[in-house]
Amino acid sequence: MEHTIKELAEAITNVHTKNLVASHVKELKFEEKHLTIYVDNAGPLHELETQEMDHHLQNGMEKVYGDISYELKLHKDETQHEREKEVPHNINQ
């Protein structure tokens, strides 16, 4: 796990939120006082977006980064699935 992700996960006190961050966050991208958190699939992404999880994430981020805004996004793997190579999913072709 990337050092910055591990640092954020350790700052979160709620066990479930900590495990979601440690297991499913793939990348953290900083821009000024804004953090984009990339999650590996939609299930954990939607779970982390709930009000309760937001509270735990905010508390963890405050401990590590101070006052910072954030957003959650789905991590896009640059590799293409074998089936997509055979049957392209572009409807505009």
Side-chain angles (χ1 to χ4, degrees):
M1 180 178 2
E2 190 180 314
H3 173 69
T4 55
I5 297 170
K6 184 177 181 180
E7 184 179 23
L8 175 59
E10 289 175 355
I12 297 170
T13 56
N14 179 273
V15 175
H16 185 63
T17 308
K18 179 184 294 206
N19 289 338
L20 283 173
V21 170
S23 300
H24 297 286
V25 171
K26 295 301 174 197
E27 182 182 358
L28 298 176
K29 186 175 180 182
F30 296 92
E31 296 173 22
E32 302 281 325
K33 289 296 249 175
H34 184 75
L35 173 64
T36 305
I37 302 171
Y38 291 95
V39 183
D40 65 356
N41 69 55
L45 173 75
H46 294 305
E47 198 169 348
L48 287 168
E49 289 177 329
T50 64
Q51 188 174 5
E52 181 184 351
M53 296 293 179
D54 174 65
H55 173 75
H56 298 302
L57 274 172
Q58 284 284 358
N59 288 342
M61 285 189 292
E62 276 185 22
K63 291 177 188 174
V64 178
Y65 309 114
D67 186 28
I68 191 169
S69 63
Y70 80 97
E71 66 181 308
L72 295 161
K73 287 188 176 182
L74 195 58
H75 186 262
K76 291 191 168 92
D77 191 0
E78 298 300 320
T79 61
Q80 190 177 32
H81 190 273
E82 288 297 317
R83 179 79 177 133
E84 289 181 37
K85 292 177 187 173
E86 296 173 15
V87 181
H89 294 278
N90 188 346
I91 62 172
N92 296 322
Q93 290 183 344

